[in-house]
């Protein structure tokens, strides 16, 4: 780090990492959502297969997509996110 | 007059009023009126935080306009609505801890406080306050109109009478309670929304003879209804995907959502809110829009899209259950309106009036001005809503897009890019709002530019403007 620059608050390193995780989750979510909807869904409707009464594209993209995202968010919250204090200056704690 | 439906609705309004009074009592004990009135003293727990985000975000368009569109367009619109699942986790993770830490350090109470400290520029403050007032007026009017339509459908009152009833209820408790009342009532309303949509979905599926039967009916009527491309095959993948920006990740730029990311008590509340928020937003969006699609075979031929939900609820459920379920959209609209009202009045009173006109104002004076101004705003929106414009989602989404184009980069880059400076922020807001309004007009006349929603291109243009101008006037890197 260049001279005269304050050392980055240790809490910000955690915050930056978690922001990137948020972006990664969104990218995954978009790929899953788009992938199932516009592959399975682009067939002519008479060729659709149905799961629990829903067209397969809808079931995988919207219903399973939602369940998978809830599960991933759960994993992230449970195992990845770290608790940091918001109030007091935490920079000497390291 | 439909009393069996009306009584549960009125009971809800009354409970909300009591909560307003209760939280006003609590406010008297707290030390800072401003921080409490506008932010609830930064002590929201996980459940309240998640519910207040869901309730603020889930507005008339998710409960009336959206399902109405799904009724007409089919499963393709549900696919579009599901882009909103991201709001549950994305906002809290991306703004997340850094925003919470920085706004505490800045002692920021509003979004504009944050921008003011970060960019040290009067122009940034004034442009922000201006765009919040203009765009949120549009968003608020949309909610008031929706609320009035709903009360009108249920009670048979005249539009004006319904509007008046809605306005009085909202104003009373916003004025009395401030942010804490809003947050706590939001939480109550979020729970009503969650349960209400589930009950209604079950009711509609039973009335339609099961999901298999409903799908068969839809295919018989028009096979396009079960494809991702909409009833007329016109819903393109590019257009639907562009909603990831408008109602998915772009929501980071909405002041009414961002302000919630400053209000959590600690990291643990934030983590819980992430979890609950994702579930609640996804669940409500999926269910409400599915209800819209499922309503089609059950109750064909509804002309006014916004009436699909009230009509299907009264058709498929016993009257008193319908009353409770219809409290859900009403709750959503009230909580959106009150948050927006508070946001607009905070922008004007706190960010402009106190900053530049009366920095030495004492507590009693600030309180009088805040409450008075909130009331005046409410009356103006009421007057605007008397002759409502036609389309409800339209107004609401217009406001969404404008705010996102204006604020997304000043917030995100202000937090994460140390070379972000006021020149970049001003350029970004001006380019964002300007190009958004221009492209919006263009799309109205000629159809969607590049086949995507009007907000998409301005978001990219304002990013380019931000980076270019920040680098041209390059200064010292910013240290928090």
């Amino acid at each position: 780090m260049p001279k005269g620059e304050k050392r980055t608050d240790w809490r910000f390193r955690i915050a930056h990492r978690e922001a990137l995780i948020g972006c990664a989750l969104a990218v995954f979510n978009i790929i899953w959502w788009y992938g199932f909807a516009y592959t399975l869904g682009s067939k002519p409707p008479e060729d659709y297969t149905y799961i629990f009464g829903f067209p397969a594209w809808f079931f995988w993209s919207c219903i399973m997509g939602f369940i998978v995202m809830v599960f991933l968010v759960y994993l992230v919250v449970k195992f990845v996110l770290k608790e940091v204090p918001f109030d007091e200056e935490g920079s000497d704690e390291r | 007059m439909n009393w069996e439906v009306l009584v549960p609705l009125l009971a809800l309004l009354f409970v909300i009023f009591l909560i307003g009074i209760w939280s006003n009592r609590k406010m008297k004990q707290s030390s800072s009126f401003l921080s409490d009135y506008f932010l609830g003293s930064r002590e929201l727990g996980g459940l309240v935080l998640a519910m207040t985000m869901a309730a603020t975000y889930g507005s008339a368009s998710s409960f009336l306009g959206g399902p109405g569109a799904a009724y007409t367009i089919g499963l393709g619109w549900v696919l579009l609505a599901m882009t909103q699942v991201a709001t549950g986790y994305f906002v809290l993770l991306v703004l997340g801890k850094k925003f919470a830490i920085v706004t505490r350090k800045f002692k920021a109470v509003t979004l504009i406080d944050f921008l003011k400290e970060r960019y040290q520029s009067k122009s940034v403050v004034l442009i922000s306050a201006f765009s919040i007032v203009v765009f949120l007026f549009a968003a608020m009017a949309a909610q008031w109109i929706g609320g009035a339509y709903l009360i009108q459908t249920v009670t048979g009152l005249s539009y004006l009478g319904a509007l008046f009833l809605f306005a009085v209820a909202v104003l009373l408790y916003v004025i009395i309670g401030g942010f804490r009342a809003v947050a706590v009532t939001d939480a109550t309303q979020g729970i009503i929304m969650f349960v209400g949509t589930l009950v209604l979905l079950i009711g509609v599926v039973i009335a339609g003879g099961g999901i298999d039967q409903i799908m068969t009916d839809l295919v018989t009527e028009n096979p396009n209804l079960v494809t991702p491309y909409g009833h007329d095959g016109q819903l393109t993948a590019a257009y639907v995907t562009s909603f990831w920006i408008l109602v998915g990740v772009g929501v980071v730029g909405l002041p009414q959502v961002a302000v919630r990311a400053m209000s959590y008590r600690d990291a643990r509340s934030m983590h819980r809110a992430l979890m609950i928020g994702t579930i609640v937003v996804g669940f409500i969006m999926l269910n409400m829009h599915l209800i819209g699609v499922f309503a089609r075979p059950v109750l064909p031929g509804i002309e006014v899209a916004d009436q699909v939900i009230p009509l299907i609820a009264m058709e498929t459920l016993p009257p008193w259950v319908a009353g409770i379920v219809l409290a859900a959209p009403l709750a959503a609209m009230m909580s959106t309106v009150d948050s927006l009202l508070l946001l607009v009045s905070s922008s004007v009173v706190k960010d402009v009036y106190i900053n530049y006109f009366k920095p030495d104002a004492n507590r009693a004076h600030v309180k009088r001005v805040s409450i008075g101004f909130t009331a005046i705003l409410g009356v103006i929106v009421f007057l605007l809503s008397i002759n409502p414009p036609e389309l409800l989602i339209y107004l609401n989404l217009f406001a969404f897009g404008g705010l996102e184009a204006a604020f997304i980069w000043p917030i995100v880059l202000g937090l994460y890019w140390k070379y972000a400076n006021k020149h970049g922020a001003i350029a970004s807001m001006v380019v964002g709002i300007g190009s958004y309004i221009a492209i919006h007009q263009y799309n109205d006349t000629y159809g969607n530019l590049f086949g995507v929603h009007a907000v998409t291109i301005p978001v990219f243009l304002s990013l380019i403007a931000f980076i270019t101008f920040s680098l041209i006037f390059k200064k010292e890197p910013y240290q928090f």
Side-chain angles (χ1 to χ4, degrees):
Chain A
M1 201 154 287
K3 244 173 80 174
E5 213 172 291
K6 239 173 51 184
R7 190 156 43 86
T8 316
D9 189 332
W10 65 277
R11 297 172 298 174
F12 286 165
R13 279 205 300 275
I14 294 174
H16 291 174
R17 196 170 67 115
E18 291 177 2
L20 287 178
I21 292 170
C23 298
L25 280 176
V27 169
F28 177 83
N29 195 348
I30 293 174
I31 292 172
W32 179 290
W33 170 93
Y34 190 97
F36 281 109
Y38 291 105
T39 52
L40 294 175
S42 56
K43 289 190 288 193
E46 49 274 19
D47 297 346
Y48 279 1
T49 49
Y50 290 83
I51 302 173
F52 296 117
F54 294 100
W57 71 265
F58 184 81
F59 178 80
W60 285 105
S61 173
C62 295
I63 300 177
M64 280 314 286
F66 170 49
I67 294 171
V68 166
M69 286 319 295
V70 168
F71 181 66
L72 286 179
V73 171
Y74 171 79
L75 290 184
V76 166
V77 168
K78 186 93 183 162
F79 298 110
V80 184
L81 298 192
K82 292 214 169 57
E83 285 196 22
V84 300
F86 289 159
D87 271 325
E88 69 264 53
E89 191 55 62
S91 42
D92 45 332
E93 259 182 69
R94 287 233 59 173
Chain B
M1 195 67 85
N2 203 338
W3 285 107
E4 285 150 304
V5 183
L6 200 56
V7 168
L9 263 177
L10 291 176
L12 172 91
L13 294 186
F14 184 68
V15 169
I16 287 169
F17 184 63
L18 286 186
I19 293 174
I21 294 175
W22 169 76
S23 64
N24 192 35
R25 284 241 180 89
K26 270 196 97 166
M27 189 159 74
K28 288 210 177 90
Q29 301 153 7
S30 130
S31 55
S32 163
F33 172 76
L34 272 182
S35 159
D36 205 76
Y37 189 77
F38 292 127
L39 210 53
S41 293
R42 292 186 215 278
E43 47 180 42
L44 300 188
L47 178 73
V48 175
L49 178 66
M51 288 302 184
T52 176
M53 288 187 84
T56 305
Y57 180 72
S59 56
S61 70
S62 27
F63 283 89
L64 300 175
Y71 179 87
T72 313
I73 293 167
L75 287 181
W77 199 262
V78 188
L79 178 71
L80 183 149
M82 288 311 280
T83 58
Q84 298 171 86
V85 172
T87 51
Y89 58 87
F90 191 75
V91 175
L92 284 180
L93 276 173
V94 167
L95 294 181
K97 290 171 183 159
K98 185 146 189 187
F99 198 55
I101 295 167
V102 167
T103 50
R104 269 160 217 249
K105 200 177 257 173
F106 287 172
K107 299 201 174 12
V109 172
T110 62
L111 175 67
I112 296 181
D113 276 345
F114 164 73
L115 296 174
K116 174 171 172 254
E117 277 299 314
R118 173 64 180 82
Y119 296 109
Q120 301 290 339
S121 152
K122 198 170 178 171
S123 316
V124 170
V125 171
L126 292 178
I127 298 174
S128 313
F130 177 76
S131 30
I132 285 182
V133 171
V134 169
F135 287 115
L136 287 190
F137 252 103
M140 260 195 292
Q143 308 300 317
W144 288 52
I145 296 159
Y149 275 149
L150 180 72
I151 295 176
Q152 188 189 15
T153 315
V154 175
T155 60
L157 285 171
S158 70
Y159 174 76
L160 201 62
L163 184 66
F164 187 72
L165 193 68
F166 184 75
V168 169
V170 172
L171 280 181
L172 265 182
Y173 85 91
V174 176
I175 291 171
I176 290 174
F179 190 92
R180 191 201 299 273
V182 168
V184 175
T185 49
D186 273 1
T188 327
Q189 290 163 343
I191 294 166
I192 296 172
M193 282 152 62
F194 191 83
V195 178
T197 58
L198 184 63
V199 172
L200 185 55
L201 182 70
I202 295 170
V204 176
V205 169
I206 293 172
I211 297 172
D212 290 320
Q213 185 59 44
I214 291 173
M215 288 298 160
T216 315
D217 291 345
L218 287 173
V219 172
T220 317
E221 193 201 328
N222 175 1
N224 283 337
L225 289 170
V226 301
T227 68
Y229 302 106
H231 63 302
D232 51 3
Q234 296 298 309
L235 208 57
T236 63
Y239 183 71
V240 174
T241 307
S242 67
F243 274 73
W244 275 96
I245 292 178
L246 183 67
V247 294
V249 298
V251 171
V252 170
L254 290 181
Q256 66 267 42
V257 175
V259 74
R260 258 117 185 120
M262 324 177 162
S263 56
Y264 24 85
R265 191 193 303 132
D266 49 26
R268 191 192 300 267
S269 316
M270 178 200 143
H271 296 169
R272 281 190 64 196
L274 257 171
M275 201 59 234
I276 301 170
T278 308
I279 295 174
V280 170
V281 171
F283 185 85
I284 291 178
M285 293 305 160
L286 182 62
N287 284 357
M288 281 317 288
H289 291 84
L290 268 181
I291 291 167
V293 178
F294 288 179
R296 196 176 177 88
V298 179
L299 208 61
I302 299 176
E303 300 279 324
V304 182
D306 289 344
Q307 288 181 348
V308 170
I309 291 297
L311 289 176
I312 196 78
M314 294 201 281
E315 166 78 17
T316 57
L317 300 173
W320 65 275
V321 183
I324 296 174
V325 167
L326 288 180
L330 198 62
M333 283 175 269
M334 289 181 66
S335 62
T336 306
V337 164
D338 56 43
S339 311
L340 298 187
L341 211 50
L342 217 50
L343 197 67
V344 173
S345 76
S346 76
S347 315
V348 175
V349 174
K350 165 132 198 351
D351 300 324
V352 177
Y353 180 72
I354 296 180
N355 274 344
Y356 300 119
F357 291 93
K358 218 167 163 55
D360 54 343
N362 63 23
R363 185 189 160 107
H365 181 74
V366 171
K367 187 172 174 180
R368 244 192 345 264
V369 173
S370 302
I371 291 179
F373 188 76
T374 310
I376 292 171
L377 269 180
V379 173
I380 297 175
V381 181
F382 176 79
L383 294 176
L384 284 181
S385 313
I386 289 179
N387 274 319
E390 287 292 298
L391 268 175
L392 210 150
I393 332 182
Y394 180 80
L395 255 187
N396 196 34
L397 290 185
F398 172 73
F400 259 47
L403 288 168
E404 287 171 6
F407 287 113
I408 186 165
W409 300 119
I411 297 176
V412 173
L413 292 180
L415 268 183
Y416 291 106
W417 190 41
K418 59 187 170 189
Y419 294 106
N421 59 36
K422 64 177 178 186
H423 308 285
I426 294 169
S428 163
M429 288 200 276
V430 171
V431 168
I433 298 171
S435 61
Y436 177 68
I437 292 175
I439 291 178
H440 205 275
Q441 296 304 328
Y442 174 91
N443 286 359
D444 272 355
T445 328
Y446 303 104
N448 293 320
L449 185 62
F450 304 131
V452 293
H453 187 275
V455 78
T456 318
I457 299 159
V459 163
F460 287 107
L461 290 181
S462 61
L463 174 63
I464 295 168
F466 196 113
I467 295 177
T468 314
F469 279 81
S470 287
L471 290 178
I472 290 176
F473 296 93
K474 194 166 176 177
K475 290 214 184 104
E476 297 289 290
Y478 187 90
Q479 293 292 329
F480 282 108

